[in-house]
Amino acid sequence: MEWKLTREPLASLAADAIIVFHTEDRESTQGCAHEVNQALEYRISSLISEGEIRGSLGEVTILHNWGKIPSKRVLVTGLGKEDKTDLRRLKNAVAEAARKAQAVGIKQLGIDCPFYMIERYNSVDVIQAIVEGVELGSYQHHSYKSDIKKKEMEVVWLSLDELPQSVFEAGIERGQVFARATNLARFLAHEPGNYLTPDKLAEQAKQIAEKRGLSIDIFTKDRLAEHGMNGLLAVSRGSANPPRMIILSYYGAPDSKEVLGLVGKGVTFDSGGLQIKPGAKMDTMKGDMAGAAAVLGAMDAIGKLKPHCNVIAIIPACENLTGSDAYRPGDVLQTYSGKTVEVHHTDAEGRIVLADAISYAKRLGATKLVDVATLTGAVVVALGYETAGLMTNDDEWGHEVKTAARIAGERVWELPMYDEYEAYVKSEIADLKNDAGSPAGAIQGGMFLKQFAEDTPLVHLDIAGTASSGKNNGIHPKGATGSSVRTLIQLAMRFG
Ligand code: BES
Ligand code: ZN
Ligand code: ZN
């Protein structure tokens, strides 16, 4: 998709379609929508007065041009109430319109920049939001159908009459990097388990490293054994596909000792192990590497944007299956940290593989940690599909990650990690157990990981609810969402 700047008003642009905006507060069209309305002999006005166009958020009305303007279609797009409109809502509204436009075969699209957004926000941020809206909303998941004919948008014109070219270019560049990193994560999380095995995930990481000039190290079984990474080794034993520990690094601030460690759960398929999951919806567990996908997407963007900071990414990748050598409930594992873990539930495998990765990130010099994981069904019970669970052992670091998420337009909500919860992860026969039954399941996961971060600040993001969307919704086409990618990029840009 190519982005172009036009100084022409949209009413005179010759594209397949143009997007203009309307809000709930106004009885008549404003700005660019008004010019188009005039050219269309007030047809938009009459739909507004008949109540067919209300301007509510997510509403998209497709009109023809009746031969009055050069563009063939007009998409009147609702932004909701003006005092509630923010960059997140703008992104979602643009995404709905772009997806509809693409579905009807539009290849060349023109977009207006809502005047009151430019007055309220930094112009680069507004342009970034529009670009993200189009590129995220029109994303189409990879298909294995043999007769697929993709309808793809080719050119998008952004109509800006006053802003300098440099502002346009900065907004386009950032929007594209953020959106394409998210779409890369979506692609990875959507791939079937038989295609995206741990070694294939490692190959994908290698491609990103080569493209962006990042260092990469990939541990195969022998090196995992040499290092005593018995958590990752144990979980992977039920599968014929061997595990990998994937390590990417970017040193953009050699003068600084601060290192951001990003850890992503890379379980390429989670059957639950011997305590097997029910059959229904088990297919969705191909996405149990969405945390790894988020970290890889973010590293792709970091490699491109080259912020002044140091970042290492660690991805424990494996499958959790039921083969004859599978780990058992009751087993005790000695993790890389030296801490022993009693396996209470083979389906609580994520925290076991993350434990080794967190300890290794510390060993490599990470001074602040964030892990991203589809860790618990319990977080979905607590927060649904809209919000990721955030847990931390350090309020200041937690605040920083929340700030990055807010700027990125992603939702996180903190769950507590009070000392009293520590009892939930204590075992009678080992240092820790990986599960303690039902209460506060998401917090149990966080408390377990906290034991491996020790005194290094850790934020744990449980994205089990946000990693995938059950329907087309704003910037999220149905399926893998790329949750947390944009938060991690923002975090890296602010780090150092
Ligand atoms: N991968 C799952 C968590 C999950 C659930 C991700 C729903 C996405 C959607 C994880 O490995 C798991 O199975 N967790 C168990 C933990 C329990 C056994 C303590 C769970 O949540 O039931
Ligand atoms: Zn599991
Ligand atoms: Zn899992």
Side-chain angles (χ1 to χ4, degrees), residues 265 270 277 285 288 345 347-349 351 374-377 435 464:
K265 173 177 173 183
D270 180 13
K277 289 179 182 293
M285 285 299 127
D288 209 18
H345 205 305
D347 199 8
E349 83 298 338
R351 62 200 73 179
T374 46
L375 206 71
T376 66
D435 152 53

Side-chain angles (χ1 to χ4, degrees), residues 380-396:
V380 191
V381 176
L383 298 171
Y385 300 98
E386 317 301 325
T387 309
L390 179 150
M391 285 148 262
T392 186
N393 59 0
D394 185 288
D395 287 344
E396 218 174 294

